[in-house]
């Protein structure tokens, strides 16, 4: 498996600092503060299923890569269960995600389309 500049997904357009933030997002203190703030605002509750606590994740409504100015904006996050988060990204991908896609996903969830 090719890594670094030899990888087909390598982006020359981002700085080494930016690359480090993207790769180690969960280790980034600013992202940790954002994630915890999203959880607190949402009372540690999945905003789709109502699950309280457990395996929750903070989902970026506007994706991390394309919207760097929104990365740490509290209004750009929503708490959802880990399984639902994985399902969302398996359906919509990880790049170019938008709030409109999340609204559609929420409607699909509310209609009972998913058995999660």
């Amino acid at each position: 498996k090719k890594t670094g500049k030899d990888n087909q997904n390598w982006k020359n357009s981002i700085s080494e600092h930016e690359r480090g933030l993207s790769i180690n997002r969960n280790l980034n203190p600013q992202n940790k503060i954002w994630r915890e703030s999203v959880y607190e605002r949402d009372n540690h509750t999945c905003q789709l299923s109502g699950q309280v606590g457990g395996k929750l994740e903070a989902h970026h409504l506007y994706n991390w890569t394309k919207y760097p100015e929104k990365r740490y904006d509290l209004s750009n996050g929503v708490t959802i269960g880990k399984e639902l988060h994985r399902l969302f990204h398996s359906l919509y991908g990880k790049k170019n995600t938008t709030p409109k896609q999340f609204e559609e996903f929420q409607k699909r969830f509310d209609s009972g389309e998913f058995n999660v």
Side-chain angles (χ1 to χ4, degrees):
K1 191 173 184 180
K2 296 180 181 179
T3 61
K5 292 180 181 181
D6 294 330
N7 186 289
Q8 67 184 21
N9 295 319
W10 182 263
K11 294 184 177 88
N12 286 323
S13 61
I14 63 174
S15 70
E16 288 301 316
H17 174 71
E18 188 73 10
R19 191 176 319 285
L21 288 178
S22 293
I23 292 170
N24 299 312
R25 190 181 328 180
N26 290 328
L27 301 176
N28 177 336
Q30 196 172 1
N31 194 60
K32 184 177 180 180
I33 292 167
W34 173 83
R35 187 173 60 243
E36 289 299 324
S37 297
V38 171
Y39 295 157
E40 285 180 32
R41 183 203 59 210
D42 294 341
N43 296 313
H44 295 270
T45 303
C46 174
Q47 299 303 292
L48 296 173
S49 70
Q51 167 194 332
V52 178
K55 295 182 180 181
L56 298 172
E57 296 187 349
H59 170 71
H60 283 90
L61 297 169
Y62 287 100
N63 76 80
W64 172 270
T65 304
K66 192 172 179 181
Y67 299 93
E69 73 282 2
K70 295 182 183 288
R71 286 181 182 167
Y72 308 115
D73 182 345
L74 188 59
S75 67
N76 186 36
V78 62
T79 303
I80 59 175
K82 184 175 184 175
E83 287 185 41
L84 286 170
H85 197 209
R86 299 285 181 257
L87 177 59
F88 174 87
H89 285 299
S90 73
L91 295 170
Y92 297 93
K94 290 192 175 186
K95 297 181 180 179
N96 302 320
T97 57
T98 65
K100 187 170 183 138
Q101 290 171 330
F102 189 77
E103 287 176 32
E104 178 184 303
F105 183 74
Q106 186 171 18
K107 287 178 186 173
R108 293 172 71 184
F109 177 83
D110 289 345
S111 75
E113 182 176 336
F114 310 124
N115 293 326
V116 178

